[in-house]
Amino acid sequence: MVNQPSLMPDLSVEIAGILMKNPVLTGSGTFGYGEEMSQIYDLSLLGALTVKGLSLRPQSGNRPPRICETPAGMLNSIGLQNIGIEAFVRDKLPFLRRIDTRVIANIYGHSAEEYAEVANILDSANGVDGIELNISCPNVKKGGMAFGTDRAETCRVVRHVRKATRLPLIVKLSPNVTDITEFALAAEDEGADALSLINTLLGMAIDIHEKRPRLSRGVGGLSGPAIRPVALRMVYQVSQVTRLPVIGMGGVVCAEDAVAFLLAGASAVSVGTANFVDPLCPLEIVAGIEDYMKAHGFSRVQELSGALDMGES
Amino acid sequence: MVNQPSLMPDLSVEIAGILMKNPVLTGSGTFGYGEEMSQIYDLSLLGALTVKGLSLRPQSGNRPPRICETPAGMLNSIGLQNIGIEAFVRDKLPFLRRIDTRVIANIYGHSAEEYAEVANILDSANGVDGIELNISCPNVKKGGMAFGTDRAETCRVVRHVRKATRLPLIVKLSPNVTDITEFALAAEDEGADALSLINTLLGMAIDIHEKRPRLSRGVGGLSGPAIRPVALRMVYQVSQVTRLPVIGMGGVVCAEDAVAFLLAGASAVSVGTANFVDPLCPLEIVAGIEDYMKAHGFSRVQELSGALDMGES
Amino acid sequence: MSFFPIRQVKARVTGNHQVAEATFRLVLSAKEFPAAAQPGQFIMLRTSTTEDPLLRRAFSLHDRKDDHLGILYKVVGRGTDWMARRRPGDVIDLIGPLGRGFSSAPPLRKALLVAGGMGIAPFRLLVRSLQSEGVEILLFYGARTAGDLLELEEMEAASVSLLLATEDGSRGEKGRVTELFREHFRKVEPSASFKIFACGPQAMLYEVARIALGQEIACDVSLESQMACGLGTCMGCVIATGSGYQRVCREGPVFSAQSLLLDESAVKHE
Amino acid sequence: MSFFPIRQVKARVTGNHQVAEATFRLVLSAKEFPAAAQPGQFIMLRTSTTEDPLLRRAFSLHDRKDDHLGILYKVVGRGTDWMARRRPGDVIDLIGPLGRGFSSAPPLRKALLVAGGMGIAPFRLLVRSLQSEGVEILLFYGARTAGDLLELEEMEAASVSLLLATEDGSRGEKGRVTELFREHFRKVEPSASFKIFACGPQAMLYEVARIALGQEIACDVSLESQMACGLGTCMGCVIATGSGYQRVCREGPVFSAQSLLLDESAVKHE
Ligand SMILES: Cc1cc2nc3c(=O)[nH]c(=O)nc-3n(C[C@H](O)[C@H](O)[C@H](O)COP(=O)(O)OP(=O)(O)OC[C@H]3O[C@@H](n4cnc5c(N)ncnc54)[C@H](O)[C@@H]3O)c2cc1C
Ligand SMILES: Cc1cc2nc3c(=O)[nH]c(=O)nc-3n(C[C@H](O)[C@H](O)[C@H](O)COP(=O)(O)OP(=O)(O)OC[C@H]3O[C@@H](n4cnc5c(N)ncnc54)[C@H](O)[C@@H]3O)c2cc1C
Ligand SMILES: Cc1cc2nc3c(=O)[nH]c(=O)nc-3n(C[C@H](O)[C@H](O)[C@H](O)COP(=O)(O)O)c2cc1C
Ligand SMILES: Cc1cc2nc3c(=O)[nH]c(=O)nc-3n(C[C@H](O)[C@H](O)[C@H](O)COP(=O)(O)O)c2cc1C
Ligand code: FES
Ligand code: FES
């Protein structure tokens, strides 16, 4: 492919060996198992879709209320309610196989060994293009964020999973840490193929009339436009220190946001909360990135990644 | 005072030995040196006001642009532009002395020794009721946040300042850490009289047309309603582990927010970014807290602090 | 469970009239909205053009006629306040129809509708559908005060028998509609060709469900829940059922009384 | 530096008319707004009733008559879009008057006004004030295209001499207003009783300031900057001056050419 501005910019990206037709993914937990959204648009228009976090056994999740709106964002404490890896492979994967897009399975375990077991099952399940390791969920009591906020635990989980699967391995980082670059480097050292960030920020909301937290679990994960500045900063920081491709997420609602993440160093972006606000927004983002590339003379979307001018200081 | 619901609730609080007529303060860096705001309303209606961060020598701050709007919030990288402690004592304090409210001096240094020196100057300057130690500013290259995201450094700074002043000492914590309770306990151990939290979250915004960060320094501090859920969570967490009074801040824009922080465990709240949106909002918050207390049968504002029902889980 | 096509539609406001205190009837022209929408289904409405409020709001389908659809709503916060300020010609973005509506499989002879407050909203469509099937309809309807009782003329015009209750006694029986409803079975013998349809606050619905189970009458209740997506993807809106937490937006909002876990601890406190 | 009383006012919209492409003139009734407002001062307008957008927006005082004040504005984003949708009767929250306006101390015989684009906004009040002092006024005014040249009739009616430039040559000289302005001094001898007043994009203002310094004519430029508070408390809006970073909202928005640091590195890139 010639590296000069063309009329039809090339939006395809390869991340962790997964070739995607465009750099727009959907975020785990905001897109169900894909099926639900297929009633609204043609999923093959996406670069990839990420399914809801899967665990070894079905999980019932937290007691409601599980969500509440916050300024330009929302809190959730779903607690990873999911049908379990076996039911996923049996009941959901057949549908996903028929769609011409990439499927990323977000997984979660109560121990490094359990993570590895889930990964191992997916390794032999035809139809999954990559694994996203959720070590950053703030909504489960044991594990979850605990793995992603402790460097040694992060290393242990990634190491175990790396041994259990040959699938491309994406590690999803927690923003609830002092220095996210440490965790990025830890995942890289242990053999991750890509990083995705950020998961939700730990937050809380209170119903002052009931004098009770708005979520039954007290705390939950903050997502949406509100967290975009934090996400963008972390994507920038991580991109500076790692050679791994980064999937940027956190408050992406339009093409302008997506381009900002790419400029900051991401190779692709993931749309989460915005799917609730405007289901068609991933498609508008794809179109908007293309328009931006045309207007600014980019021929390949990779050229955007890290094309940020940081000025003098 | 009898502890039964009265028609006129008692809004006064004592924090770190500072008696305030109500639990509503203004946040450092959002209220200048007080003077500017006195053209808009009578500052004696505030529980206390906190002045812009002061350093030993005048500081010119960062190159503009220094601020930009973000979803339900803003980023700033002022870089602690200030007139220096001597000019403050000489030119600003005389005005503040004439106002019947409490004055808290927010201070900042490039080293533990410099912090101590500033504190020591204030110790003998009549008119300052308390010192707020800013170890959490994300907008200066050396020091600032570095002190507040490293436990040992936090201890060192607090220890030095504690020795240098007999004024009530409030330590302002950074939210950009994995576990804020560690820092709360560190400050408590070293002799802090109160804690205030949160300072801004480190964030970034990008101008995609210029392919440049919107702030000249690249990153800045995120404030405003967007960060309220994170702030509320941290105030709750810190209140659970410390016996020190907590001044809660981060996205407080109305009485409902203020009450939420009090219920989460704060003894008072500080209004920051909201001063820009609606200068009169601290006064509305005072009135709104009073209304809430009447409606819910609280006679003293301290009763609100931590009156949260966390339910079963 | 049958799924109908879901559409995202830019609908045009054709009417937005106040019908009671803080209560409005919004009429939208939405050609592309699927005609197959069922009573009890709902839509997710974008109640701003900015990020405040951010999330969509859920509303029962109140009416559906030709190219128009209607919503009966109460102003309770920022989203509904925005709605109340829409004028004819304005555009509102909505997604629907969503969820599973009321099911009225024959042989159904008599329908007992129970509504609390705004719970009356989905009953206009339900009444129309039941009547086309020749079902006899009784409506038990409770509200805080007389002014909050909506749709009374419409229901009378549709020869629905009304049994009213208000908490302040300003109209009908003084007290709660559930008491009125419970009272009814002192006089009337339940039958297998009866069915109960209820919509209102959760505590009321669970009470109705318990009565229904006691009388062994089939019963559908339409629940509310905090929703983010309305599409079944976020798992935010679940309710405790015999087969685990189920999505109000997908498996519901209408659930059969039998399927729900009715013990007190499952009831959302309000 | 003299400070005038600052008021937070709920003003009522009495007019909001489009005057050019994406450009409107807003007229507000604001009795409590201080009459003492000076040309070049500005107000901070709340451009929503929600948290999106959150911060206030700055606008020059364009007009001030009896109980009314006027704003001339261009729709460039969310805040100004909200403004364009206001109708007579709507209420807008504003704070002002703010900052330091133009200073026209006598003996001033001739005023050279230089405006770029929307930079014309504060000149209506300035012209009125200069004329009351009997000062002769020349206006150098540049814009992208003829349609963007605003207030021409008003200026002519006030017998201001106009020298126009457009980038596309559709009206007046083809090129930038700064070229036109520089050209002027090839013909006219500067004098100590002249003063320059300029408002427009920063690069233009700095160019005008350099010309003024070269010709040794007193010169006031009115700057813009990203603002959060407008009150001098946040230190967000500063500009580089000979005495350090100064607040555009407090020491400005009008600065004397001499006080600014005019080297290229101090100029905001746009
Ligand atoms: C399936 C379904 C159907 C509904 N049908 C109708 C209807 O036909 N007519 C009608 O008036 N209302 C209906 N509602 C409720 C309606 O969604 C809420 O009143 C609305 O979301 C409030 O938005 P707001 O921004 O005005 O209030 P907010 O400012 O968001 O909140 C104000 C108050 O309403 C509560 N609230 C917010 N969202 C919801 C919600 N989704 N469900 C319940 N309470 C909520 C809040 O806790 C708060 O106490 C329905 C809800 C659901 C889930
Ligand atoms: C002292 C002062 C006086 C002004 N007087 C006028 C006036 O009389 N008429 C007028 O039309 N405009 C005036 N402006 C500019 C006006 O404030 C901005 O156009 C407005 O804030 C844009 O808001 P928005 O929400 O529509 O745009 P946004 O969505 O916030 O931004 C759209 C674009 O405008 C830029 N922008 C945003 N805020 C500002 C700002 N404060 N200054 C400069 N650029 C900005 C953004 O970078 C972006 O490129 C003045 C600005 C200042 C500081
Ligand atoms: C309702 C909800 C459920 C989520 N569930 C998961 C999950 O199962 N696994 C995971 O890794 N992230 C999960 N996330 C996090 C998102 O994938 C994403 O990282 C985060 O929301 C930030 O992106 P956003 O601001 O675009 O939503 C969830 C987010 C939301 C809002
Ligand atoms: C423009 C600006 C300047 C600030 N300057 C300081 C400062 O000098 N010292 C400090 O401790 N905090 C400073 N802060 C942080 C605030 O005091 C407050 O902790 C933070 O903004 C969160 O509160 P808010 O969301 O209500 O603004 C600044 C915040 C802003 C927005
Ligand atoms: S609202 Fe998202 S699953 Fe029901
Ligand atoms: S805008 Fe805040 S100091 Fe000028």
Side-chain angles (χ1 to χ4, degrees), chain A residues 72-91:
Chain A
M74 62 177 281
L75 286 169
N76 89 78
S77 71
I78 308 300
L80 289 171
Q81 174 170 0
N82 79 97
I83 57 175
I85 189 70
E86 279 173 28
F88 171 73
V89 171
R90 186 183 61 230
D91 303 336

Side-chain angles (χ1 to χ4, degrees), chain A residues 67 276, chain C residues 44 226-238 247-250:
Chain A
I67 50 175
F276 308 152
Chain C
M44 289 295 279
Q226 296 288 340
M227 291 186 176
C229 71
L231 301 165
T233 58
C234 78
M235 306 305 287
C237 63
V238 298
R247 298 167 294 187
V248 171
C249 73
R250 194 84 177 188

Side-chain angles (χ1 to χ4, degrees), chain B residues 27-30 51-53 67 74 76 78 80 106 132 134 136-137 172 198-200 222-225 227 249-252 270-274 276, chain D residues 234:
Chain B
S28 175
T30 66
V51 300
K52 173 71 189 165
I67 50 174
M74 63 177 281
N76 89 77
I78 307 301
L80 290 170
N106 180 280
E132 184 179 60
N134 179 8
S136 44
C137 180
K172 185 161 179 181
I198 59 175
N199 209 315
T200 54
L222 182 65
S223 65
I227 70 170
M249 63 187 80
V252 172
S270 203
V271 178
T273 302
F276 308 151
Chain D
C234 78

Side-chain angles (χ1 to χ4, degrees), chain B residues 14 41 80 114 157 159 168 171 206 211 264:
Chain B
E14 195 187 300
Y41 64 86
L80 290 170
E114 205 176 290
V157 175
R159 196 178 316 139
V171 176
I206 288 174
K211 305 189 195 74

